[in-house]
């Protein structure tokens, strides 16, 4: 197996993690969430299972994006700049893996620590948001979880913007 195959494996695994978290739909949501939001599916979980689902969804999505960016880098370096397989495997691939894993874990760990992974009224799986939804902006609603969020959105947006810009520019 070479760098291409390992990158594709990472991309497939991260897509499977994301897809599995979405496929579980309302099952990991806390049992009492139906008292606040109306969902057709049953909920058997707790705040911890909801956090696990949301963490998996966010981490898998970001890892998938990073693997896609690394695949673009791989093509750019091997086709356009004709970097050897040895240099790619020995130096560039480990750095790419380290950067991808770091970017994919830092943001969800921060949100997990701040209790920002909860059930939301408009999607049928747990994701990032306060609970009950909108409590941080509506003073008449008391927050149960997520009221501690003060981190800037750039932790999520910066890698997305940089990665998208890199992918677009690499085609030039």
């Amino acid at each position: 197996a070479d760098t291409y195959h390992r990158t594709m494996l990472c991309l497939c695994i991260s897509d499977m993690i994301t897809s599995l978290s979405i496929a579980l739909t309302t099952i990991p949501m806390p049992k009492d969430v139906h008292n606040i939001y109306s969902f057709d599916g049953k909920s058997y979980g707790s705040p911890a299972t909801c956090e696990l689902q949301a963490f998996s969804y966010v981490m898998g999505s970001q890892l998938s994006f990073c693997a896609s960016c690394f695949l673009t880098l791989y093509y750019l370096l091997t086709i356009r700049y004709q970097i050897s397989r040895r240099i790619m495997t020995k130096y560039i691939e480990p750095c790419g893996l380290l950067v991808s894993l770091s970017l994919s874990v830092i943001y969800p760990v921060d949100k997990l620590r701040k209790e920002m992974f909860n059930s939301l009224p408009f999607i049928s799986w747990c994701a990032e948001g306060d609970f009950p939804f909108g409590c941080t902006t509506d003073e008449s609603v008391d927050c149960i979880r997520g009221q501690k969020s003060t981190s800037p959105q750039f932790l999520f947006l910066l890698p997305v913007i940089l990665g998208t810009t890199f992918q677009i520019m690499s085609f030039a």
Side-chain angles (χ1 to χ4, degrees), residues 37-114:
Y37 307 139
S38 61
F39 289 111
D40 291 337
K42 298 269 187 205
S43 298
Y44 301 101
S46 66
T49 57
C50 189
E51 286 177 334
L52 179 62
Q53 181 186 33
F55 184 89
S56 300
Y57 170 71
V58 172
M59 186 202 65
S61 298
Q62 290 185 324
L63 189 57
S64 178
F65 182 73
C66 287
S68 176
C69 287
F70 186 77
L71 193 60
T72 302
L73 178 67
Y74 169 78
Y75 286 135
L76 180 70
L77 294 177
T78 56
I79 295 171
R80 189 174 206 183
Y81 297 107
Q82 298 176 356
I83 300 293
S84 72
R85 181 179 286 190
R86 184 183 70 76
I87 291 174
M88 192 64 147
T89 304
K90 191 171 184 179
Y91 301 107
I92 298 170
E93 186 180 350
C95 291
L97 181 63
L98 183 65
V99 168
S100 295
L101 287 175
S102 298
L103 289 175
S104 301
V105 172
I106 290 172
Y107 181 78
V109 165
D110 179 57
K111 293 301 176 181
L112 184 66
R113 190 175 53 82
K114 294 177 178 173

Side-chain angles (χ1 to χ4, degrees), residues 139-156:
E139 294 179 12
S140 65
V141 179
D142 290 332
C143 284
I144 298 171
R145 295 174 45 84
Q147 64 273 18
K148 300 175 213 158
S149 178
T150 57
S151 68
Q153 277 297 106
F154 79 88
L155 285 175
F156 175 75

Side-chain angles (χ1 to χ4, degrees), residues 10-20 60 64:
C10 179
L11 184 60
C12 291
I13 290 171
S14 61
D15 282 343
M16 289 186 332
I17 291 169
T18 304
S19 297
L20 177 63
S64 178

